[in-house]
Short mmCIF file of all heavy atoms in Angstrom, two decimals:
data_model
loop_
_atom_site.label_atom_id
_atom_site.label_comp_id
_atom_site.label_asym_id
_atom_site.label_seq_id
_atom_site.Cartn_x
_atom_site.Cartn_y
_atom_site.Cartn_z
N VAL A 146 -87.61 -135.17 185.39
CA VAL A 146 -86.61 -135.87 184.63
C VAL A 146 -86.54 -137.28 185.12
O VAL A 146 -86.54 -137.62 186.38
CB VAL A 146 -85.18 -135.21 184.89
CG1 VAL A 146 -84.01 -135.96 184.28
CG2 VAL A 146 -85.21 -133.79 184.33
N VAL A 147 -86.47 -138.30 184.18
CA VAL A 147 -86.46 -139.69 184.51
C VAL A 147 -85.03 -140.17 184.05
O VAL A 147 -84.54 -139.85 183.03
CB VAL A 147 -87.55 -140.45 183.79
CG1 VAL A 147 -87.47 -141.94 184.03
CG2 VAL A 147 -88.87 -139.93 184.22
N LEU A 148 -84.43 -140.94 184.97
CA LEU A 148 -83.19 -141.67 184.72
C LEU A 148 -83.45 -143.06 184.33
O LEU A 148 -84.29 -143.73 185.00
CB LEU A 148 -82.23 -141.57 185.88
CG LEU A 148 -81.99 -140.19 186.50
CD1 LEU A 148 -81.12 -140.32 187.85
CD2 LEU A 148 -81.39 -139.30 185.56
N SER A 149 -82.85 -143.62 183.41
CA SER A 149 -82.98 -145.04 183.07
C SER A 149 -81.75 -145.59 182.46
O SER A 149 -81.01 -144.86 181.84
CB SER A 149 -84.20 -145.24 182.10
OG SER A 149 -83.93 -144.66 180.89
N PRO A 150 -81.45 -146.86 182.57
CA PRO A 150 -82.11 -147.71 183.59
C PRO A 150 -81.66 -147.38 184.99
O PRO A 150 -80.71 -146.72 185.18
CB PRO A 150 -81.62 -149.13 183.16
CG PRO A 150 -80.26 -148.87 182.57
CD PRO A 150 -80.34 -147.48 181.93
N ASN A 151 -82.44 -147.72 185.95
CA ASN A 151 -82.14 -147.49 187.40
C ASN A 151 -82.58 -148.69 188.17
O ASN A 151 -83.78 -148.81 188.32
CB ASN A 151 -82.75 -146.20 187.86
CG ASN A 151 -82.18 -145.76 189.10
OD1 ASN A 151 -81.29 -146.38 189.70
ND2 ASN A 151 -82.85 -144.76 189.78
N PRO A 152 -81.67 -149.55 188.58
CA PRO A 152 -80.24 -149.46 188.60
C PRO A 152 -79.57 -149.63 187.14
O PRO A 152 -80.24 -150.13 186.37
CB PRO A 152 -79.78 -150.62 189.45
CG PRO A 152 -80.98 -151.49 189.69
CD PRO A 152 -82.23 -150.76 189.26
N ALA A 153 -78.39 -149.04 187.06
CA ALA A 153 -77.70 -149.02 185.82
C ALA A 153 -76.34 -149.64 186.02
O ALA A 153 -75.78 -149.74 187.10
CB ALA A 153 -77.48 -147.58 185.34
N GLN A 154 -75.73 -150.13 184.88
CA GLN A 154 -74.37 -150.73 184.84
C GLN A 154 -73.44 -149.92 184.16
O GLN A 154 -72.28 -149.64 184.68
CB GLN A 154 -74.41 -152.09 184.30
CG GLN A 154 -75.25 -153.08 185.15
CD GLN A 154 -75.22 -154.51 184.55
OE1 GLN A 154 -74.76 -154.76 183.42
NE2 GLN A 154 -75.79 -155.45 185.24
N ASP A 155 -73.58 -149.52 182.91
CA ASP A 155 -72.61 -148.87 182.08
C ASP A 155 -72.97 -147.42 181.68
O ASP A 155 -72.21 -146.58 181.59
CB ASP A 155 -72.32 -149.64 180.82
CG ASP A 155 -71.83 -151.02 181.08
OD1 ASP A 155 -70.94 -151.16 182.04
OD2 ASP A 155 -72.17 -152.01 180.41
N VAL A 156 -74.19 -147.22 181.36
CA VAL A 156 -74.72 -145.92 180.94
C VAL A 156 -76.01 -145.48 181.60
O VAL A 156 -76.78 -146.39 182.01
CB VAL A 156 -74.93 -145.85 179.41
CG1 VAL A 156 -73.61 -145.99 178.57
CG2 VAL A 156 -75.94 -146.86 178.92
N LEU A 157 -76.16 -144.18 181.70
CA LEU A 157 -77.43 -143.69 182.33
C LEU A 157 -78.08 -142.69 181.33
O LEU A 157 -77.35 -141.80 180.90
CB LEU A 157 -77.03 -143.01 183.63
CG LEU A 157 -78.14 -142.51 184.49
CD1 LEU A 157 -78.98 -143.78 185.00
CD2 LEU A 157 -77.57 -141.69 185.67
N TYR A 158 -79.26 -142.93 180.97
CA TYR A 158 -79.99 -142.15 179.98
C TYR A 158 -80.86 -141.08 180.82
O TYR A 158 -81.43 -141.50 181.84
CB TYR A 158 -80.83 -142.92 179.15
CG TYR A 158 -80.09 -143.80 178.18
CD1 TYR A 158 -79.82 -145.16 178.56
CD2 TYR A 158 -79.58 -143.38 176.92
CE1 TYR A 158 -79.13 -145.95 177.67
CE2 TYR A 158 -78.84 -144.15 176.17
CZ TYR A 158 -78.61 -145.48 176.51
OH TYR A 158 -77.90 -146.33 175.69
N LEU A 159 -80.99 -139.85 180.32
CA LEU A 159 -81.78 -138.88 180.95
C LEU A 159 -82.77 -138.39 179.85
O LEU A 159 -82.41 -138.14 178.72
CB LEU A 159 -81.00 -137.68 181.40
CG LEU A 159 -79.96 -137.94 182.49
CD1 LEU A 159 -78.77 -138.44 182.07
CD2 LEU A 159 -79.91 -136.61 183.34
N ASN A 160 -84.06 -138.21 180.20
CA ASN A 160 -85.02 -137.73 179.20
C ASN A 160 -85.12 -136.23 179.29
O ASN A 160 -86.07 -135.61 179.72
CB ASN A 160 -86.43 -138.36 179.48
CG ASN A 160 -87.12 -138.00 180.72
OD1 ASN A 160 -86.37 -137.57 181.60
ND2 ASN A 160 -88.34 -138.00 180.75
N LEU A 161 -83.99 -135.58 178.91
CA LEU A 161 -83.99 -134.11 179.02
C LEU A 161 -84.68 -133.47 177.79
O LEU A 161 -84.74 -133.93 176.68
CB LEU A 161 -82.52 -133.61 178.87
CG LEU A 161 -81.50 -134.16 179.98
CD1 LEU A 161 -80.13 -133.75 179.75
CD2 LEU A 161 -82.04 -133.63 181.30
N GLU A 162 -85.31 -132.24 178.06
CA GLU A 162 -86.02 -131.49 177.13
C GLU A 162 -85.04 -130.43 176.48
O GLU A 162 -85.25 -129.97 175.36
CB GLU A 162 -87.20 -130.87 177.65
CG GLU A 162 -88.23 -131.79 178.10
CD GLU A 162 -89.51 -131.15 178.75
OE1 GLU A 162 -89.54 -129.88 178.69
OE2 GLU A 162 -90.36 -131.85 179.23
N GLN A 163 -83.90 -130.16 177.16
CA GLN A 163 -82.99 -129.15 176.70
C GLN A 163 -81.61 -129.51 177.38
O GLN A 163 -81.59 -130.34 178.21
CB GLN A 163 -83.37 -127.70 177.06
CG GLN A 163 -83.45 -127.54 178.63
CD GLN A 163 -84.03 -126.18 179.04
OE1 GLN A 163 -84.68 -125.57 178.32
NE2 GLN A 163 -83.60 -125.69 180.20
N ALA A 164 -80.55 -128.90 176.76
CA ALA A 164 -79.23 -129.15 177.30
C ALA A 164 -79.19 -128.78 178.82
O ALA A 164 -79.88 -127.84 179.19
CB ALA A 164 -78.19 -128.35 176.54
N ALA A 165 -78.47 -129.53 179.52
CA ALA A 165 -78.31 -129.21 180.96
C ALA A 165 -76.90 -129.57 181.45
O ALA A 165 -76.21 -130.44 180.86
CB ALA A 165 -79.27 -130.06 181.73
N ARG A 166 -76.47 -128.95 182.52
CA ARG A 166 -75.12 -129.28 183.21
C ARG A 166 -75.44 -130.32 184.17
O ARG A 166 -76.41 -130.20 184.94
CB ARG A 166 -74.65 -128.02 183.85
CG ARG A 166 -73.24 -128.24 184.40
CD ARG A 166 -72.78 -126.93 185.08
NE ARG A 166 -72.76 -125.81 184.15
CZ ARG A 166 -71.62 -125.34 183.61
NH1 ARG A 166 -70.45 -125.84 183.88
NH2 ARG A 166 -71.76 -124.29 182.78
N VAL A 167 -74.68 -131.32 184.25
CA VAL A 167 -74.87 -132.52 185.02
C VAL A 167 -73.67 -132.74 185.94
O VAL A 167 -72.59 -132.64 185.50
CB VAL A 167 -75.21 -133.82 184.18
CG1 VAL A 167 -75.35 -135.01 185.08
CG2 VAL A 167 -76.52 -133.54 183.41
N GLN A 168 -73.96 -133.15 187.20
CA GLN A 168 -72.91 -133.44 188.17
C GLN A 168 -73.32 -134.65 188.93
O GLN A 168 -74.47 -134.79 189.41
CB GLN A 168 -72.64 -132.32 189.03
CG GLN A 168 -71.37 -132.46 189.97
CD GLN A 168 -71.16 -131.20 190.78
OE1 GLN A 168 -71.99 -130.75 191.60
NE2 GLN A 168 -70.03 -130.51 190.50
N ILE A 169 -72.38 -135.59 189.25
CA ILE A 169 -72.71 -136.80 190.03
C ILE A 169 -71.88 -136.81 191.30
O ILE A 169 -70.67 -136.52 191.28
CB ILE A 169 -72.25 -138.05 189.16
CG1 ILE A 169 -73.11 -138.15 187.91
CG2 ILE A 169 -72.50 -139.28 190.02
CD1 ILE A 169 -72.77 -139.34 187.02
N ARG A 170 -72.62 -136.94 192.44
CA ARG A 170 -71.97 -137.04 193.66
C ARG A 170 -72.32 -138.35 194.42
O ARG A 170 -73.39 -138.91 194.19
CB ARG A 170 -72.53 -135.90 194.61
CG ARG A 170 -72.02 -134.53 194.13
CD ARG A 170 -72.60 -133.45 195.01
NE ARG A 170 -73.92 -133.74 195.44
CZ ARG A 170 -75.03 -133.02 195.08
NH1 ARG A 170 -74.94 -131.98 194.36
NH2 ARG A 170 -76.22 -133.37 195.53
N ASP A 171 -71.37 -138.77 195.35
CA ASP A 171 -71.69 -139.97 196.15
C ASP A 171 -72.54 -139.51 197.30
O ASP A 171 -72.78 -138.23 197.45
CB ASP A 171 -70.48 -140.74 196.53
CG ASP A 171 -69.53 -139.88 197.39
OD1 ASP A 171 -69.90 -138.96 198.06
OD2 ASP A 171 -68.37 -140.25 197.49
N LEU A 172 -73.03 -140.46 198.16
CA LEU A 172 -73.93 -140.04 199.20
C LEU A 172 -73.14 -139.17 200.35
O LEU A 172 -73.83 -138.62 201.22
CB LEU A 172 -74.62 -141.23 199.86
CG LEU A 172 -75.56 -141.92 198.88
CD1 LEU A 172 -76.16 -143.20 199.66
CD2 LEU A 172 -76.58 -141.00 198.35
N SER A 173 -71.84 -139.18 200.32
CA SER A 173 -71.11 -138.34 201.32
C SER A 173 -70.93 -136.90 200.76
O SER A 173 -70.39 -136.05 201.46
CB SER A 173 -69.71 -138.92 201.44
OG SER A 173 -69.83 -140.25 202.04
N GLY A 174 -71.50 -136.66 199.51
CA GLY A 174 -71.40 -135.34 199.02
C GLY A 174 -70.20 -135.10 198.12
O GLY A 174 -70.02 -133.99 197.60
N ASN A 175 -69.27 -136.12 197.91
CA ASN A 175 -68.08 -135.89 197.12
C ASN A 175 -68.42 -135.96 195.67
O ASN A 175 -69.16 -136.94 195.20
CB ASN A 175 -67.08 -137.01 197.52
CG ASN A 175 -66.63 -136.99 198.82
OD1 ASN A 175 -66.36 -136.01 199.43
ND2 ASN A 175 -66.64 -138.19 199.55
N THR A 176 -67.92 -135.02 194.90
CA THR A 176 -68.17 -135.00 193.47
C THR A 176 -67.34 -136.17 192.82
O THR A 176 -66.14 -136.18 192.99
CB THR A 176 -67.76 -133.69 192.82
OG1 THR A 176 -68.60 -132.69 193.46
CG2 THR A 176 -67.95 -133.64 191.38
N VAL A 177 -67.99 -137.00 192.10
CA VAL A 177 -67.29 -138.11 191.42
C VAL A 177 -67.21 -137.88 189.90
O VAL A 177 -66.40 -138.58 189.20
CB VAL A 177 -67.89 -139.45 191.75
CG1 VAL A 177 -67.70 -139.84 193.25
CG2 VAL A 177 -69.36 -139.50 191.35
N ARG A 178 -67.97 -136.97 189.46
CA ARG A 178 -68.00 -136.65 188.03
C ARG A 178 -68.25 -135.13 187.95
O ARG A 178 -69.29 -134.65 188.38
CB ARG A 178 -69.17 -137.44 187.30
CG ARG A 178 -69.24 -137.16 185.78
CD ARG A 178 -68.14 -137.73 184.97
NE ARG A 178 -67.67 -139.17 185.35
CZ ARG A 178 -68.22 -140.25 184.80
NH1 ARG A 178 -69.27 -140.20 183.98
NH2 ARG A 178 -67.86 -141.45 185.24
N SER A 179 -67.25 -134.47 187.33
CA SER A 179 -67.36 -132.95 187.24
C SER A 179 -68.54 -132.65 186.29
O SER A 179 -69.01 -133.45 185.58
CB SER A 179 -66.07 -132.45 186.68
OG SER A 179 -65.05 -132.64 187.49
N SER A 180 -68.94 -131.44 186.42
CA SER A 180 -69.99 -131.00 185.52
C SER A 180 -69.71 -131.21 184.13
O SER A 180 -68.62 -130.83 183.59
CB SER A 180 -70.31 -129.49 185.84
OG SER A 180 -70.74 -129.31 187.14
N VAL A 181 -70.66 -131.79 183.43
CA VAL A 181 -70.61 -131.94 181.92
C VAL A 181 -71.89 -131.46 181.35
O VAL A 181 -72.97 -131.48 182.06
CB VAL A 181 -70.28 -133.34 181.56
CG1 VAL A 181 -68.99 -133.85 182.09
CG2 VAL A 181 -71.40 -134.32 182.09
N TRP A 182 -71.90 -131.07 180.12
CA TRP A 182 -73.12 -130.69 179.44
C TRP A 182 -73.69 -131.91 178.71
O TRP A 182 -72.98 -132.67 178.04
CB TRP A 182 -72.84 -129.64 178.32
CG TRP A 182 -72.70 -128.31 179.11
CD1 TRP A 182 -71.54 -127.68 179.35
CD2 TRP A 182 -73.73 -127.38 179.48
NE1 TRP A 182 -71.84 -126.50 180.02
CE2 TRP A 182 -73.25 -126.29 180.07
CE3 TRP A 182 -75.15 -127.60 179.46
CZ2 TRP A 182 -73.92 -125.25 180.63
CZ3 TRP A 182 -75.92 -126.49 179.85
CH2 TRP A 182 -75.33 -125.29 180.46
N ILE A 183 -74.95 -132.10 178.89
CA ILE A 183 -75.61 -133.28 178.37
C ILE A 183 -76.80 -132.59 177.43
O ILE A 183 -77.54 -131.87 177.97
CB ILE A 183 -76.25 -134.26 179.31
CG1 ILE A 183 -75.19 -134.75 180.24
CG2 ILE A 183 -77.07 -135.28 178.65
CD1 ILE A 183 -74.23 -135.76 179.52
N ASN A 184 -76.84 -133.06 176.17
CA ASN A 184 -77.96 -132.65 175.33
C ASN A 184 -79.01 -133.66 175.27
O ASN A 184 -78.83 -134.81 175.63
CB ASN A 184 -77.33 -132.43 173.84
CG ASN A 184 -76.49 -131.30 173.77
OD1 ASN A 184 -76.80 -130.18 174.21
ND2 ASN A 184 -75.23 -131.54 173.37
N PRO A 185 -80.26 -133.30 174.83
CA PRO A 185 -81.37 -134.26 174.87
C PRO A 185 -80.93 -135.48 173.88
O PRO A 185 -80.27 -135.30 172.87
CB PRO A 185 -82.49 -133.46 174.19
CG PRO A 185 -82.27 -132.10 174.61
CD PRO A 185 -80.67 -131.97 174.62
N GLY A 186 -81.25 -136.66 174.34
CA GLY A 186 -80.93 -137.88 173.61
C GLY A 186 -79.50 -138.39 173.86
O GLY A 186 -79.18 -139.52 173.45
N GLU A 187 -78.67 -137.74 174.64
CA GLU A 187 -77.35 -138.23 175.04
C GLU A 187 -77.44 -139.05 176.29
O GLU A 187 -78.49 -139.10 177.04
CB GLU A 187 -76.39 -137.07 175.24
CG GLU A 187 -76.02 -136.35 173.99
CD GLU A 187 -74.94 -135.37 174.07
OE1 GLU A 187 -74.77 -134.78 175.18
OE2 GLU A 187 -74.33 -135.01 173.15
N TYR A 188 -76.32 -139.75 176.67
CA TYR A 188 -76.24 -140.50 177.91
C TYR A 188 -75.00 -140.24 178.64
O TYR A 188 -74.08 -139.64 178.01
CB TYR A 188 -76.43 -141.96 177.53
CG TYR A 188 -75.42 -142.46 176.54
CD1 TYR A 188 -74.19 -143.00 176.95
CD2 TYR A 188 -75.71 -142.55 175.19
CE1 TYR A 188 -73.22 -143.35 176.09
CE2 TYR A 188 -74.80 -143.02 174.34
CZ TYR A 188 -73.62 -143.40 174.75
OH TYR A 188 -72.63 -143.92 173.83
N ILE A 189 -74.94 -140.64 179.81
CA ILE A 189 -73.71 -140.49 180.61
C ILE A 189 -73.04 -141.92 180.84
O ILE A 189 -73.71 -142.83 181.25
CB ILE A 189 -74.04 -139.96 182.01
CG1 ILE A 189 -74.72 -138.66 181.90
CG2 ILE A 189 -72.77 -139.75 182.86
CD1 ILE A 189 -75.33 -138.02 183.15
N GLN A 190 -71.75 -141.98 180.53
CA GLN A 190 -71.02 -143.21 180.76
C GLN A 190 -70.72 -143.30 182.31
O GLN A 190 -70.17 -142.46 182.95
CB GLN A 190 -69.70 -143.10 180.09
CG GLN A 190 -69.75 -143.06 178.56
CD GLN A 190 -70.08 -144.49 177.98
OE1 GLN A 190 -69.91 -145.50 178.65
NE2 GLN A 190 -70.38 -144.50 176.71
N ILE A 191 -71.09 -144.42 182.95
CA ILE A 191 -70.86 -144.58 184.36
C ILE A 191 -70.09 -145.90 184.73
O ILE A 191 -70.01 -146.22 185.90
CB ILE A 191 -72.27 -144.57 185.07
CG1 ILE A 191 -73.18 -145.57 184.75
CG2 ILE A 191 -72.87 -143.09 184.99
CD1 ILE A 191 -74.42 -145.79 185.63
N GLN A 192 -69.59 -146.55 183.68
CA GLN A 192 -69.00 -147.83 183.91
C GLN A 192 -67.79 -147.70 184.92
O GLN A 192 -67.42 -148.72 185.56
CB GLN A 192 -68.61 -148.61 182.69
CG GLN A 192 -67.46 -147.94 181.91
CD GLN A 192 -68.00 -146.93 180.91
OE1 GLN A 192 -69.02 -146.41 180.96
NE2 GLN A 192 -67.09 -146.66 179.85
N ASP A 193 -67.18 -146.55 184.96
CA ASP A 193 -66.02 -146.39 185.86
C ASP A 193 -66.33 -146.12 187.40
O ASP A 193 -65.42 -146.15 188.25
CB ASP A 193 -65.13 -145.33 185.27
CG ASP A 193 -65.83 -143.93 185.24
OD1 ASP A 193 -67.06 -143.95 184.91
OD2 ASP A 193 -65.17 -142.90 185.43
N LEU A 194 -67.60 -145.91 187.68
CA LEU A 194 -68.07 -145.69 189.05
C LEU A 194 -68.17 -146.99 189.82
O LEU A 194 -68.50 -148.08 189.29
CB LEU A 194 -69.43 -145.01 189.11
CG LEU A 194 -69.56 -143.63 188.47
CD1 LEU A 194 -71.03 -143.15 188.57
CD2 LEU A 194 -68.53 -142.70 189.07
N GLN A 195 -67.79 -146.91 191.12
CA GLN A 195 -68.02 -148.06 192.07
C GLN A 195 -69.46 -148.38 192.19
O GLN A 195 -70.40 -147.41 192.00
CB GLN A 195 -67.34 -147.77 193.34
CG GLN A 195 -65.90 -147.54 193.30
CD GLN A 195 -65.10 -148.72 192.98
OE1 GLN A 195 -65.49 -149.87 193.42
NE2 GLN A 195 -64.09 -148.60 192.08
N ALA A 196 -69.82 -149.52 192.56
CA ALA A 196 -71.27 -149.89 192.79
C ALA A 196 -71.72 -149.15 194.00
O ALA A 196 -71.01 -148.92 194.96
CB ALA A 196 -71.38 -151.37 192.99
N GLY A 197 -72.90 -148.75 193.94
CA GLY A 197 -73.64 -147.95 195.06
C GLY A 197 -74.61 -146.97 194.58
O GLY A 197 -74.99 -146.90 193.38
N MET A 198 -75.04 -146.12 195.54
CA MET A 198 -76.06 -145.14 195.16
C MET A 198 -75.36 -143.84 194.98
O MET A 198 -74.38 -143.41 195.75
CB MET A 198 -77.05 -145.06 196.39
CG MET A 198 -78.20 -144.00 196.12
SD MET A 198 -79.49 -144.11 197.31
CE MET A 198 -80.48 -145.39 196.62
N TYR A 199 -75.81 -143.02 194.06
CA TYR A 199 -75.34 -141.74 193.74
C TYR A 199 -76.45 -140.66 193.57
O TYR A 199 -77.61 -141.06 193.35
CB TYR A 199 -74.58 -141.75 192.37
CG TYR A 199 -73.28 -142.62 192.49
CD1 TYR A 199 -73.37 -143.99 192.24
CD2 TYR A 199 -72.05 -142.02 192.84
CE1 TYR A 199 -72.23 -144.75 192.41
CE2 TYR A 199 -70.91 -142.78 192.95
CZ TYR A 199 -71.00 -144.19 192.74
OH TYR A 199 -69.87 -144.94 192.91
N LEU A 200 -76.05 -139.44 193.64
CA LEU A 200 -76.98 -138.30 193.34
C LEU A 200 -76.58 -137.60 192.06
O LEU A 200 -75.43 -137.28 191.95
CB LEU A 200 -76.98 -137.31 194.59
CG LEU A 200 -77.34 -137.95 195.90
CD1 LEU A 200 -77.20 -136.88 197.00
CD2 LEU A 200 -78.86 -138.30 195.82
N LEU A 201 -77.52 -137.34 191.26
CA LEU A 201 -77.26 -136.71 189.99
C LEU A 201 -77.99 -135.37 190.05
O LEU A 201 -79.19 -135.29 190.22
CB LEU A 201 -77.83 -137.50 188.80
CG LEU A 201 -77.67 -136.96 187.44
CD1 LEU A 201 -76.20 -137.28 186.97
CD2 LEU A 201 -78.60 -137.49 186.51
N SER A 202 -77.19 -134.27 189.89
CA SER A 202 -77.72 -132.87 189.91
C SER A 202 -77.82 -132.50 188.49
O SER A 202 -76.93 -132.53 187.72
CB SER A 202 -76.94 -131.96 190.72
OG SER A 202 -76.83 -132.29 192.05
N ILE A 203 -78.93 -131.93 188.10
CA ILE A 203 -79.26 -131.52 186.71
C ILE A 203 -79.54 -129.95 186.86
O ILE A 203 -80.57 -129.62 187.49
CB ILE A 203 -80.44 -132.22 186.07
CG1 ILE A 203 -80.13 -133.80 186.24
CG2 ILE A 203 -80.72 -131.76 184.71
CD1 ILE A 203 -81.31 -134.55 186.20
N GLU A 204 -78.76 -129.20 186.16
CA GLU A 204 -78.87 -127.70 186.25
C GLU A 204 -79.38 -127.13 184.94
O GLU A 204 -78.77 -127.28 183.89
CB GLU A 204 -77.58 -127.05 186.55
CG GLU A 204 -77.57 -125.62 186.69
CD GLU A 204 -76.29 -125.03 186.96
OE1 GLU A 204 -75.40 -125.73 187.68
OE2 GLU A 204 -76.00 -123.84 186.51
N TYR A 205 -80.61 -126.57 185.02
CA TYR A 205 -81.18 -125.86 183.89
C TYR A 205 -81.21 -124.40 184.22
O TYR A 205 -82.18 -123.94 184.88
CB TYR A 205 -82.67 -126.21 183.75
CG TYR A 205 -82.91 -127.67 183.26
CD1 TYR A 205 -83.44 -128.67 184.09
CD2 TYR A 205 -82.83 -128.02 181.90
CE1 TYR A 205 -83.76 -129.85 183.73
CE2 TYR A 205 -83.16 -129.27 181.47
CZ TYR A 205 -83.59 -130.25 182.34
OH TYR A 205 -83.91 -131.56 181.96
N GLY A 206 -80.19 -123.67 183.79
CA GLY A 206 -80.21 -122.18 184.11
C GLY A 206 -80.14 -122.06 185.72
O GLY A 206 -79.17 -122.42 186.31
N GLU A 207 -81.19 -121.46 186.17
CA GLU A 207 -81.30 -121.26 187.59
C GLU A 207 -81.85 -122.41 188.40
O GLU A 207 -81.81 -122.45 189.66
CB GLU A 207 -82.14 -119.96 187.90
CG GLU A 207 -81.57 -118.72 187.35
CD GLU A 207 -80.26 -118.24 187.95
OE1 GLU A 207 -80.11 -118.43 189.15
OE2 GLU A 207 -79.36 -117.87 187.19
N GLU A 208 -82.48 -123.26 187.69
CA GLU A 208 -83.18 -124.44 188.41
C GLU A 208 -82.26 -125.61 188.50
O GLU A 208 -81.46 -125.99 187.56
CB GLU A 208 -84.42 -124.85 187.57
CG GLU A 208 -85.17 -125.91 188.14
CD GLU A 208 -86.41 -126.24 187.44
OE1 GLU A 208 -86.65 -125.64 186.34
OE2 GLU A 208 -87.14 -127.13 187.88
N VAL A 209 -82.19 -126.30 189.74
CA VAL A 209 -81.37 -127.52 189.98
C VAL A 209 -82.27 -128.56 190.42
O VAL A 209 -82.96 -128.44 191.41
CB VAL A 209 -80.22 -127.23 190.85
CG1 VAL A 209 -79.45 -128.57 191.08
CG2 VAL A 209 -79.37 -126.12 190.39
N LEU A 210 -82.24 -129.77 189.69
CA LEU A 210 -82.97 -130.97 190.06
C LEU A 210 -82.03 -131.97 190.56
O LEU A 210 -80.97 -132.12 189.95
CB LEU A 210 -83.84 -131.46 188.95
CG LEU A 210 -84.85 -130.56 188.22
CD1 LEU A 210 -85.36 -131.26 186.99
CD2 LEU A 210 -85.93 -130.18 189.15
N THR A 211 -82.39 -132.73 191.54
CA THR A 211 -81.51 -133.81 192.02
C THR A 211 -82.31 -135.12 192.01
O THR A 211 -83.39 -135.13 192.50
CB THR A 211 -81.04 -133.49 193.48
OG1 THR A 211 -80.38 -132.25 193.48
CG2 THR A 211 -80.04 -134.66 193.88
N ARG A 212 -81.63 -136.10 191.38
CA ARG A 212 -82.24 -137.41 191.31
C ARG A 212 -81.21 -138.48 191.84
O ARG A 212 -79.98 -138.25 191.67
CB ARG A 212 -82.62 -137.82 189.90
CG ARG A 212 -83.66 -136.87 189.23
CD ARG A 212 -85.08 -137.09 189.89
NE ARG A 212 -86.12 -136.34 189.23
CZ ARG A 212 -86.49 -135.10 189.69
NH1 ARG A 212 -85.89 -134.55 190.67
NH2 ARG A 212 -87.46 -134.54 189.01
N SER A 213 -81.68 -139.58 192.35
CA SER A 213 -80.78 -140.60 192.81
C SER A 213 -80.85 -141.74 191.86
O SER A 213 -81.78 -141.97 191.05
CB SER A 213 -81.11 -141.09 194.17
OG SER A 213 -82.42 -141.65 194.19
N PHE A 214 -79.69 -142.47 191.76
CA PHE A 214 -79.59 -143.72 190.91
C PHE A 214 -78.64 -144.67 191.58
O PHE A 214 -77.86 -144.30 192.42
CB PHE A 214 -79.17 -143.38 189.47
CG PHE A 214 -77.72 -142.98 189.35
CD1 PHE A 214 -76.79 -143.99 188.97
CD2 PHE A 214 -77.33 -141.66 189.40
CE1 PHE A 214 -75.41 -143.58 188.84
CE2 PHE A 214 -76.11 -141.32 189.26
CZ PHE A 214 -75.10 -142.19 188.88
N ILE A 215 -78.78 -145.89 191.22
CA ILE A 215 -77.92 -146.99 191.76
C ILE A 215 -77.07 -147.52 190.65
O ILE A 215 -77.56 -147.90 189.48
CB ILE A 215 -78.82 -148.09 192.33
CG1 ILE A 215 -79.67 -147.64 193.48
CG2 ILE A 215 -77.96 -149.37 192.71
CD1 ILE A 215 -80.69 -148.60 193.95
N LYS A 216 -75.86 -147.56 190.92
CA LYS A 216 -74.87 -148.19 189.99
C LYS A 216 -74.58 -149.59 190.50
O LYS A 216 -74.22 -149.88 191.63
CB LYS A 216 -73.52 -147.39 190.02
CG LYS A 216 -72.26 -148.03 189.43
CD LYS A 216 -72.41 -148.30 187.89
CE LYS A 216 -71.07 -148.68 187.33
NZ LYS A 216 -70.74 -150.00 187.38
N GLU A 217 -74.88 -150.57 189.54
CA GLU A 217 -74.61 -152.01 189.94
C GLU A 217 -73.20 -152.41 189.64
O GLU A 217 -72.52 -151.84 188.74
CB GLU A 217 -75.53 -152.91 189.12
CG GLU A 217 -77.02 -152.67 189.48
CD GLU A 217 -77.86 -153.68 188.77
OE1 GLU A 217 -77.65 -153.98 187.54
OE2 GLU A 217 -78.81 -154.18 189.35
#
């Protein structure tokens, strides 16, 4: 899964092949965005996040992928 743009300012696009549950955490492990469902072609609004690095967990059924991104 590729996140773009990275770093990002307002929105974060994911190249998903199927719908997935997504959660954003800061580097301390605090959840800053509750799980939401994202469909292929959709994006996540992140303009309300503080600048910094975040972890994005992407859950496909039993599989969980984690990617990092930077919010400017």
Side-chain angles (χ1 to χ4, degrees):
V146 174
V147 176
L148 309 177
S149 66
N151 192 7
Q154 294 181 354
D155 298 322
V156 295
L157 190 62
Y158 296 93
L159 293 86
N160 68 334
L161 299 176
E162 295 179 7
Q163 63 186 26
R166 187 181 302 255
V167 176
Q168 187 174 64
I169 298 174
R170 295 182 317 247
D171 62 21
L172 293 182
S173 298
N175 300 314
T176 300
V177 295
R178 181 69 46 86
S179 298
S180 296
V181 294
W182 281 98
I183 300 295
N184 293 305
E187 291 185 337
Y188 56 88
I189 302 171
Q190 296 280 346
I191 60 167
Q192 70 269 18
D193 59 326
L194 298 180
Q195 297 293 321
M198 183 172 274
Y199 292 89
L200 299 174
L201 181 79
S202 295
I203 305 157
E204 181 182 328
Y205 291 106
E207 298 294 318
E208 184 179 1
V209 178
L210 303 172
T211 302
R212 300 289 187 264
S213 62
F214 72 92
I215 297 171
K216 163 67 165 84
E217 293 184 324

